[in-house]
Amino acid sequence: MTTPRTAPRLIATDLDGTLLCSGGTVTARTAAALAAAEAAGVQVVFVTGRPPRWMQQVSAHIGGHGVAICSNGGAVVDVRRGELLESFPLDAADALRVVAALRAKLPGTAFAFEYPAGFAREPGYEVRMWGQDENHPIGPAEELLGTGGPVQGLFKLLAKHPDLDPDKLLSAAREAAGHLAEITRSAPIPLLEISAPGVTKASTLARWCAGHGIDRSEVVAFGDMPNDLEMLAWAGTAYAVANAHPEVLAAVPLHTVSNEQDGVAAVLERLLGR
């Protein structure tokens, strides 16, 4: 593992599988490293596939600015105030085109929807994570996304298949609908994450940095899954954690130890001379 010769101006880190350990928690070592970076004047920005409503768990570690990039770049959120600062939604008509294309290519796929007011899903989309989505609209995509439907300002379209290999699902989905939207994945199950064309972690991070006068060469990024690849390619310096997806490990020359071994903290400690 190597590190840049000078400290960066901004740390951009994924959360699940990268910064967080099992159970989605921040270890004492990682918390100390994040606090030390902020004290040294280095911005720390969480750049995650999580929707805004799943950010309170890490709000204590978010730094002085209080802002996170959520939903793979679809939303910029002031976590402490619970305020949506900026969003880059997927047009409802385009989302329905994606739904139709994936239904035709991948029968059995069910869909769910992340938007400013919360979460909605089709009846066939089973909710298994986080235990906090019990009360939400349920219906066919056409009803949820249609005129007058509850889903407005769609951050992210989710597509779940019952049994396909996750990487094969991603490849097939991109073949069917990659011209309509950004399609990626971050979960260990066959679950796709779909954003508006051109909206990725990288695009929204680049916008944030431009607004703060930070060049990409001054950014160090961390990630572990295919939804991190654009961000890792954009940043001046990038690290894959040891537990990363094989595609990420192959694409990113610099590696650190796993999330369970505080891989992000290990690099930050070196950057800050601790």
Side-chain angles (χ1 to χ4, degrees), residues 216-247:
R216 61 190 292 183
S217 64
E218 300 173 301
V219 176
V220 175
F222 298 86
D224 73 310
M225 288 296 282
N227 66 326
D228 295 314
L229 283 168
E230 292 88 354
M231 176 178 73
L232 297 172
W234 178 83
T237 304
Y239 288 87
V241 287
N243 54 288
H245 187 282
E247 184 180 356

PDB file of all heavy atoms in Angstrom, residues 216-247:
ATOM      1  N   ARG A 216      -9.529  17.620  -9.085  1.00  0.00           N
ATOM      2  CA  ARG A 216      -9.576  16.164  -8.913  1.00  0.00           C
ATOM      3  C   ARG A 216      -8.255  15.600  -8.423  1.00  0.00           C
ATOM      4  O   ARG A 216      -8.232  14.577  -7.721  1.00  0.00           O
ATOM      5  CB  ARG A 216      -9.975  15.501 -10.233  1.00  0.00           C
ATOM      6  CG  ARG A 216      -9.010  15.755 -11.370  1.00  0.00           C
ATOM      7  CD  ARG A 216      -9.553  15.303 -12.716  1.00  0.00           C
ATOM      8  NE  ARG A 216      -9.663  13.854 -12.800  1.00  0.00           N
ATOM      9  CZ  ARG A 216     -10.061  13.210 -13.894  1.00  0.00           C
ATOM     10  NH1 ARG A 216     -10.416  13.889 -14.980  1.00  0.00           N
ATOM     11  NH2 ARG A 216     -10.110  11.890 -13.906  1.00  0.00           N
ATOM     12  N   SER A 217      -7.147  16.273  -8.740  1.00  0.00           N
ATOM     13  CA  SER A 217      -5.837  15.811  -8.282  1.00  0.00           C
ATOM     14  C   SER A 217      -5.691  15.917  -6.766  1.00  0.00           C
ATOM     15  O   SER A 217      -4.794  15.298  -6.184  1.00  0.00           O
ATOM     16  CB  SER A 217      -4.728  16.613  -8.957  1.00  0.00           C
ATOM     17  OG  SER A 217      -4.782  17.980  -8.575  1.00  0.00           O
ATOM     18  N   GLU A 218      -6.572  16.683  -6.127  1.00  0.00           N
ATOM     19  CA  GLU A 218      -6.521  16.881  -4.680  1.00  0.00           C
ATOM     20  C   GLU A 218      -7.500  15.965  -3.932  1.00  0.00           C
ATOM     21  O   GLU A 218      -7.701  16.126  -2.737  1.00  0.00           O
ATOM     22  CB  GLU A 218      -6.840  18.342  -4.357  1.00  0.00           C
ATOM     23  CG  GLU A 218      -5.865  19.320  -4.995  1.00  0.00           C
ATOM     24  CD  GLU A 218      -6.283  20.761  -4.824  1.00  0.00           C
ATOM     25  OE1 GLU A 218      -7.386  21.118  -5.284  1.00  0.00           O
ATOM     26  OE2 GLU A 218      -5.503  21.544  -4.216  1.00  0.00           O
ATOM     27  N   VAL A 219      -8.071  15.005  -4.661  1.00  0.00           N
ATOM     28  CA  VAL A 219      -9.076  14.107  -4.092  1.00  0.00           C
ATOM     29  C   VAL A 219      -8.495  12.703  -3.950  1.00  0.00           C
ATOM     30  O   VAL A 219      -7.873  12.175  -4.869  1.00  0.00           O
ATOM     31  CB  VAL A 219     -10.326  14.059  -4.985  1.00  0.00           C
ATOM     32  CG1 VAL A 219     -11.342  13.050  -4.449  1.00  0.00           C
ATOM     33  CG2 VAL A 219     -10.951  15.445  -5.097  1.00  0.00           C
ATOM     34  N   VAL A 220      -8.723  12.087  -2.792  1.00  0.00           N
ATOM     35  CA  VAL A 220      -8.429  10.671  -2.571  1.00  0.00           C
ATOM     36  C   VAL A 220      -9.753   9.959  -2.337  1.00  0.00           C
ATOM     37  O   VAL A 220     -10.540  10.369  -1.471  1.00  0.00           O
ATOM     38  CB  VAL A 220      -7.489  10.457  -1.372  1.00  0.00           C
ATOM     39  CG1 VAL A 220      -7.296   8.957  -1.100  1.00  0.00           C
ATOM     40  CG2 VAL A 220      -6.138  11.109  -1.624  1.00  0.00           C
ATOM     41  N   ALA A 221     -10.017   8.911  -3.122  1.00  0.00           N
ATOM     42  CA  ALA A 221     -11.298   8.217  -3.047  1.00  0.00           C
ATOM     43  C   ALA A 221     -11.104   6.754  -2.650  1.00  0.00           C
ATOM     44  O   ALA A 221     -10.061   6.153  -2.935  1.00  0.00           O
ATOM     45  CB  ALA A 221     -12.024   8.292  -4.391  1.00  0.00           C
ATOM     46  N   PHE A 222     -12.151   6.190  -2.027  1.00  0.00           N
ATOM     47  CA  PHE A 222     -12.135   4.800  -1.575  1.00  0.00           C
ATOM     48  C   PHE A 222     -13.436   4.120  -2.000  1.00  0.00           C
ATOM     49  O   PHE A 222     -14.509   4.718  -1.903  1.00  0.00           O
ATOM     50  CB  PHE A 222     -12.036   4.734  -0.047  1.00  0.00           C
ATOM     51  CG  PHE A 222     -10.789   5.330   0.532  1.00  0.00           C
ATOM     52  CD1 PHE A 222     -10.720   6.689   0.802  1.00  0.00           C
ATOM     53  CD2 PHE A 222      -9.681   4.530   0.807  1.00  0.00           C
ATOM     54  CE1 PHE A 222      -9.565   7.241   1.345  1.00  0.00           C
ATOM     55  CE2 PHE A 222      -8.534   5.077   1.354  1.00  0.00           C
ATOM     56  CZ  PHE A 222      -8.469   6.431   1.616  1.00  0.00           C
ATOM     57  N   GLY A 223     -13.328   2.845  -2.420  1.00  0.00           N
ATOM     58  CA  GLY A 223     -14.528   2.124  -2.791  1.00  0.00           C
ATOM     59  C   GLY A 223     -14.308   0.637  -2.859  1.00  0.00           C
ATOM     60  O   GLY A 223     -13.183   0.140  -2.683  1.00  0.00           O
ATOM     61  N   ASP A 224     -15.422  -0.085  -3.148  1.00  0.00           N
ATOM     62  CA  ASP A 224     -15.329  -1.544  -3.152  1.00  0.00           C
ATOM     63  C   ASP A 224     -16.181  -2.236  -4.216  1.00  0.00           C
ATOM     64  O   ASP A 224     -15.978  -3.408  -4.489  1.00  0.00           O
ATOM     65  CB  ASP A 224     -15.734  -2.103  -1.783  1.00  0.00           C
ATOM     66  CG  ASP A 224     -17.241  -2.027  -1.531  1.00  0.00           C
ATOM     67  OD1 ASP A 224     -17.825  -0.935  -1.734  1.00  0.00           O
ATOM     68  OD2 ASP A 224     -17.823  -3.046  -1.124  1.00  0.00           O
ATOM     69  N   MET A 225     -17.125  -1.534  -4.843  1.00  0.00           N
ATOM     70  CA  MET A 225     -18.065  -2.216  -5.738  1.00  0.00           C
ATOM     71  C   MET A 225     -18.178  -1.491  -7.083  1.00  0.00           C
ATOM     72  O   MET A 225     -17.687  -0.374  -7.232  1.00  0.00           O
ATOM     73  CB  MET A 225     -19.435  -2.315  -5.066  1.00  0.00           C
ATOM     74  CG  MET A 225     -19.493  -3.316  -3.911  1.00  0.00           C
ATOM     75  SD  MET A 225     -19.199  -5.044  -4.426  1.00  0.00           S
ATOM     76  CE  MET A 225     -20.788  -5.462  -5.140  1.00  0.00           C
ATOM     77  N   PRO A 226     -18.827  -2.138  -8.070  1.00  0.00           N
ATOM     78  CA  PRO A 226     -18.921  -1.515  -9.394  1.00  0.00           C
ATOM     79  C   PRO A 226     -19.502  -0.107  -9.396  1.00  0.00           C
ATOM     80  O   PRO A 226     -19.121   0.716 -10.248  1.00  0.00           O
ATOM     81  CB  PRO A 226     -19.817  -2.491 -10.161  1.00  0.00           C
ATOM     82  CG  PRO A 226     -19.471  -3.827  -9.579  1.00  0.00           C
ATOM     83  CD  PRO A 226     -19.299  -3.553  -8.109  1.00  0.00           C
ATOM     84  N   ASN A 227     -20.401   0.220  -8.467  1.00  0.00           N
ATOM     85  CA  ASN A 227     -20.945   1.578  -8.443  1.00  0.00           C
ATOM     86  C   ASN A 227     -19.920   2.618  -8.013  1.00  0.00           C
ATOM     87  O   ASN A 227     -20.186   3.825  -8.103  1.00  0.00           O
ATOM     88  CB  ASN A 227     -22.191   1.660  -7.552  1.00  0.00           C
ATOM     89  CG  ASN A 227     -21.904   1.422  -6.081  1.00  0.00           C
ATOM     90  OD1 ASN A 227     -21.023   0.633  -5.717  1.00  0.00           O
ATOM     91  ND2 ASN A 227     -22.659   2.071  -5.216  1.00  0.00           N
ATOM     92  N   ASP A 228     -18.739   2.170  -7.572  1.00  0.00           N
ATOM     93  CA  ASP A 228     -17.664   3.098  -7.201  1.00  0.00           C
ATOM     94  C   ASP A 228     -16.671   3.344  -8.337  1.00  0.00           C
ATOM     95  O   ASP A 228     -15.809   4.230  -8.225  1.00  0.00           O
ATOM     96  CB  ASP A 228     -16.875   2.547  -5.999  1.00  0.00           C
ATOM     97  CG  ASP A 228     -17.705   2.458  -4.747  1.00  0.00           C
ATOM     98  OD1 ASP A 228     -18.416   3.423  -4.439  1.00  0.00           O
ATOM     99  OD2 ASP A 228     -17.650   1.409  -4.067  1.00  0.00           O
ATOM    100  N   LEU A 229     -16.751   2.585  -9.407  1.00  0.00           N
ATOM    101  CA  LEU A 229     -15.688   2.610 -10.413  1.00  0.00           C
ATOM    102  C   LEU A 229     -15.496   3.981 -11.047  1.00  0.00           C
ATOM    103  O   LEU A 229     -14.355   4.426 -11.236  1.00  0.00           O
ATOM    104  CB  LEU A 229     -15.961   1.561 -11.494  1.00  0.00           C
ATOM    105  CG  LEU A 229     -15.634   0.125 -11.095  1.00  0.00           C
ATOM    106  CD1 LEU A 229     -16.207  -0.860 -12.110  1.00  0.00           C
ATOM    107  CD2 LEU A 229     -14.118  -0.057 -10.968  1.00  0.00           C
ATOM    108  N   GLU A 230     -16.578   4.664 -11.387  1.00  0.00           N
ATOM    109  CA  GLU A 230     -16.433   5.984 -12.018  1.00  0.00           C
ATOM    110  C   GLU A 230     -15.767   6.976 -11.061  1.00  0.00           C
ATOM    111  O   GLU A 230     -14.905   7.762 -11.467  1.00  0.00           O
ATOM    112  CB  GLU A 230     -17.800   6.519 -12.456  1.00  0.00           C
ATOM    113  CG  GLU A 230     -18.425   5.749 -13.597  1.00  0.00           C
ATOM    114  CD  GLU A 230     -19.269   4.569 -13.143  1.00  0.00           C
ATOM    115  OE1 GLU A 230     -19.280   4.281 -11.919  1.00  0.00           O
ATOM    116  OE2 GLU A 230     -19.929   3.940 -14.003  1.00  0.00           O
ATOM    117  N   MET A 231     -16.149   6.942  -9.796  1.00  0.00           N
ATOM    118  CA  MET A 231     -15.546   7.825  -8.800  1.00  0.00           C
ATOM    119  C   MET A 231     -14.063   7.518  -8.624  1.00  0.00           C
ATOM    120  O   MET A 231     -13.227   8.430  -8.557  1.00  0.00           O
ATOM    121  CB  MET A 231     -16.272   7.689  -7.462  1.00  0.00           C
ATOM    122  CG  MET A 231     -15.655   8.490  -6.328  1.00  0.00           C
ATOM    123  SD  MET A 231     -16.570   8.366  -4.771  1.00  0.00           S
ATOM    124  CE  MET A 231     -16.161   6.688  -4.249  1.00  0.00           C
ATOM    125  N   LEU A 232     -13.722   6.252  -8.559  1.00  0.00           N
ATOM    126  CA  LEU A 232     -12.331   5.856  -8.368  1.00  0.00           C
ATOM    127  C   LEU A 232     -11.479   6.233  -9.580  1.00  0.00           C
ATOM    128  O   LEU A 232     -10.302   6.587  -9.437  1.00  0.00           O
ATOM    129  CB  LEU A 232     -12.249   4.357  -8.091  1.00  0.00           C
ATOM    130  CG  LEU A 232     -12.940   3.891  -6.798  1.00  0.00           C
ATOM    131  CD1 LEU A 232     -12.955   2.374  -6.720  1.00  0.00           C
ATOM    132  CD2 LEU A 232     -12.271   4.483  -5.560  1.00  0.00           C
ATOM    133  N   ALA A 233     -12.065   6.177 -10.770  1.00  0.00           N
ATOM    134  CA  ALA A 233     -11.335   6.575 -11.976  1.00  0.00           C
ATOM    135  C   ALA A 233     -11.170   8.088 -12.054  1.00  0.00           C
ATOM    136  O   ALA A 233     -10.161   8.578 -12.568  1.00  0.00           O
ATOM    137  CB  ALA A 233     -12.063   6.069 -13.216  1.00  0.00           C
ATOM    138  N   TRP A 234     -12.145   8.829 -11.525  1.00  0.00           N
ATOM    139  CA  TRP A 234     -12.090  10.290 -11.601  1.00  0.00           C
ATOM    140  C   TRP A 234     -11.104  10.897 -10.601  1.00  0.00           C
ATOM    141  O   TRP A 234     -10.399  11.853 -10.910  1.00  0.00           O
ATOM    142  CB  TRP A 234     -13.497  10.866 -11.350  1.00  0.00           C
ATOM    143  CG  TRP A 234     -13.535  12.354 -11.363  1.00  0.00           C
ATOM    144  CD1 TRP A 234     -13.620  13.177 -12.462  1.00  0.00           C
ATOM    145  CD2 TRP A 234     -13.448  13.231 -10.225  1.00  0.00           C
ATOM    146  NE1 TRP A 234     -13.602  14.488 -12.075  1.00  0.00           N
ATOM    147  CE2 TRP A 234     -13.500  14.553 -10.703  1.00  0.00           C
ATOM    148  CE3 TRP A 234     -13.343  13.005  -8.858  1.00  0.00           C
ATOM    149  CZ2 TRP A 234     -13.444  15.658  -9.859  1.00  0.00           C
ATOM    150  CZ3 TRP A 234     -13.280  14.103  -7.999  1.00  0.00           C
ATOM    151  CH2 TRP A 234     -13.340  15.404  -8.496  1.00  0.00           C
ATOM    152  N   ALA A 235     -11.047  10.353  -9.406  1.00  0.00           N
ATOM    153  CA  ALA A 235     -10.223  10.944  -8.346  1.00  0.00           C
ATOM    154  C   ALA A 235      -8.739  10.891  -8.691  1.00  0.00           C
ATOM    155  O   ALA A 235      -8.277   9.963  -9.358  1.00  0.00           O
ATOM    156  CB  ALA A 235     -10.478  10.208  -7.027  1.00  0.00           C
ATOM    157  N   GLY A 236      -8.006  11.874  -8.208  1.00  0.00           N
ATOM    158  CA  GLY A 236      -6.567  11.900  -8.449  1.00  0.00           C
ATOM    159  C   GLY A 236      -5.858  10.695  -7.883  1.00  0.00           C
ATOM    160  O   GLY A 236      -4.911  10.168  -8.485  1.00  0.00           O
ATOM    161  N   THR A 237      -6.306  10.234  -6.723  1.00  0.00           N
ATOM    162  CA  THR A 237      -5.766   9.034  -6.091  1.00  0.00           C
ATOM    163  C   THR A 237      -6.939   8.185  -5.622  1.00  0.00           C
ATOM    164  O   THR A 237      -7.898   8.720  -5.062  1.00  0.00           O
ATOM    165  CB  THR A 237      -4.880   9.391  -4.884  1.00  0.00           C
ATOM    166  OG1 THR A 237      -3.838  10.277  -5.302  1.00  0.00           O
ATOM    167  CG2 THR A 237      -4.255   8.144  -4.277  1.00  0.00           C
ATOM    168  N   ALA A 238      -6.866   6.887  -5.850  1.00  0.00           N
ATOM    169  CA  ALA A 238      -7.975   6.013  -5.480  1.00  0.00           C
ATOM    170  C   ALA A 238      -7.463   4.726  -4.870  1.00  0.00           C
ATOM    171  O   ALA A 238      -6.421   4.199  -5.278  1.00  0.00           O
ATOM    172  CB  ALA A 238      -8.834   5.702  -6.705  1.00  0.00           C
ATOM    173  N   TYR A 239      -8.222   4.223  -3.913  1.00  0.00           N
ATOM    174  CA  TYR A 239      -7.902   2.963  -3.246  1.00  0.00           C
ATOM    175  C   TYR A 239      -9.102   2.020  -3.295  1.00  0.00           C
ATOM    176  O   TYR A 239     -10.246   2.439  -3.059  1.00  0.00           O
ATOM    177  CB  TYR A 239      -7.566   3.190  -1.771  1.00  0.00           C
ATOM    178  CG  TYR A 239      -6.243   3.858  -1.535  1.00  0.00           C
ATOM    179  CD1 TYR A 239      -6.147   5.253  -1.525  1.00  0.00           C
ATOM    180  CD2 TYR A 239      -5.087   3.112  -1.313  1.00  0.00           C
ATOM    181  CE1 TYR A 239      -4.925   5.882  -1.301  1.00  0.00           C
ATOM    182  CE2 TYR A 239      -3.876   3.731  -1.079  1.00  0.00           C
ATOM    183  CZ  TYR A 239      -3.794   5.106  -1.080  1.00  0.00           C
ATOM    184  OH  TYR A 239      -2.590   5.728  -0.855  1.00  0.00           O
ATOM    185  N   ALA A 240      -8.827   0.775  -3.555  1.00  0.00           N
ATOM    186  CA  ALA A 240      -9.806  -0.286  -3.370  1.00  0.00           C
ATOM    187  C   ALA A 240      -9.488  -0.997  -2.064  1.00  0.00           C
ATOM    188  O   ALA A 240      -8.315  -1.288  -1.781  1.00  0.00           O
ATOM    189  CB  ALA A 240      -9.747  -1.280  -4.527  1.00  0.00           C
ATOM    190  N   VAL A 241     -10.513  -1.267  -1.268  1.00  0.00           N
ATOM    191  CA  VAL A 241     -10.291  -2.059  -0.064  1.00  0.00           C
ATOM    192  C   VAL A 241     -10.094  -3.523  -0.475  1.00  0.00           C
ATOM    193  O   VAL A 241     -10.528  -3.952  -1.539  1.00  0.00           O
ATOM    194  CB  VAL A 241     -11.470  -1.926   0.925  1.00  0.00           C
ATOM    195  CG1 VAL A 241     -11.464  -0.555   1.588  1.00  0.00           C
ATOM    196  CG2 VAL A 241     -12.807  -2.179   0.235  1.00  0.00           C
ATOM    197  N   ALA A 242      -9.410  -4.289   0.371  1.00  0.00           N
ATOM    198  CA  ALA A 242      -9.023  -5.665   0.016  1.00  0.00           C
ATOM    199  C   ALA A 242     -10.216  -6.570  -0.266  1.00  0.00           C
ATOM    200  O   ALA A 242     -10.099  -7.542  -1.010  1.00  0.00           O
ATOM    201  CB  ALA A 242      -8.173  -6.262   1.132  1.00  0.00           C
ATOM    202  N   ASN A 243     -11.358  -6.260   0.325  1.00  0.00           N
ATOM    203  CA  ASN A 243     -12.566  -7.064   0.130  1.00  0.00           C
ATOM    204  C   ASN A 243     -13.383  -6.630  -1.079  1.00  0.00           C
ATOM    205  O   ASN A 243     -14.509  -7.094  -1.278  1.00  0.00           O
ATOM    206  CB  ASN A 243     -13.455  -6.984   1.371  1.00  0.00           C
ATOM    207  CG  ASN A 243     -13.776  -5.546   1.767  1.00  0.00           C
ATOM    208  OD1 ASN A 243     -12.896  -4.825   2.259  1.00  0.00           O
ATOM    209  ND2 ASN A 243     -15.000  -5.119   1.555  1.00  0.00           N
ATOM    210  N   ALA A 244     -12.826  -5.760  -1.919  1.00  0.00           N
ATOM    211  CA  ALA A 244     -13.568  -5.206  -3.051  1.00  0.00           C
ATOM    212  C   ALA A 244     -13.907  -6.264  -4.095  1.00  0.00           C
ATOM    213  O   ALA A 244     -13.275  -7.333  -4.169  1.00  0.00           O
ATOM    214  CB  ALA A 244     -12.783  -4.071  -3.696  1.00  0.00           C
ATOM    215  N   HIS A 245     -14.873  -5.935  -4.917  1.00  0.00           N
ATOM    216  CA  HIS A 245     -15.250  -6.765  -6.061  1.00  0.00           C
ATOM    217  C   HIS A 245     -14.026  -6.960  -6.958  1.00  0.00           C
ATOM    218  O   HIS A 245     -13.212  -6.045  -7.118  1.00  0.00           O
ATOM    219  CB  HIS A 245     -16.366  -6.048  -6.831  1.00  0.00           C
ATOM    220  CG  HIS A 245     -16.969  -6.836  -7.939  1.00  0.00           C
ATOM    221  ND1 HIS A 245     -16.351  -6.994  -9.162  1.00  0.00           N
ATOM    222  CD2 HIS A 245     -18.145  -7.496  -8.031  1.00  0.00           C
ATOM    223  CE1 HIS A 245     -17.122  -7.716  -9.951  1.00  0.00           C
ATOM    224  NE2 HIS A 245     -18.214  -8.040  -9.297  1.00  0.00           N
ATOM    225  N   PRO A 246     -13.850  -8.147  -7.575  1.00  0.00           N
ATOM    226  CA  PRO A 246     -12.673  -8.385  -8.423  1.00  0.00           C
ATOM    227  C   PRO A 246     -12.486  -7.340  -9.519  1.00  0.00           C
ATOM    228  O   PRO A 246     -11.343  -6.981  -9.845  1.00  0.00           O
ATOM    229  CB  PRO A 246     -12.955  -9.766  -9.019  1.00  0.00           C
ATOM    230  CG  PRO A 246     -13.816 -10.439  -8.007  1.00  0.00           C
ATOM    231  CD  PRO A 246     -14.678  -9.363  -7.425  1.00  0.00           C
ATOM    232  N   GLU A 247     -13.579  -6.831 -10.085  1.00  0.00           N
ATOM    233  CA  GLU A 247     -13.452  -5.815 -11.128  1.00  0.00           C
ATOM    234  C   GLU A 247     -12.836  -4.530 -10.579  1.00  0.00           C
ATOM    235  O   GLU A 247     -12.048  -3.863 -11.251  1.00  0.00           O
ATOM    236  CB  GLU A 247     -14.828  -5.522 -11.735  1.00  0.00           C
ATOM    237  CG  GLU A 247     -14.800  -4.544 -12.896  1.00  0.00           C
ATOM    238  CD  GLU A 247     -16.167  -4.277 -13.485  1.00  0.00           C
ATOM    239  OE1 GLU A 247     -17.146  -4.915 -13.044  1.00  0.00           O
ATOM    240  OE2 GLU A 247     -16.262  -3.420 -14.389  1.00  0.00           O
TER     241      GLU A 247
END
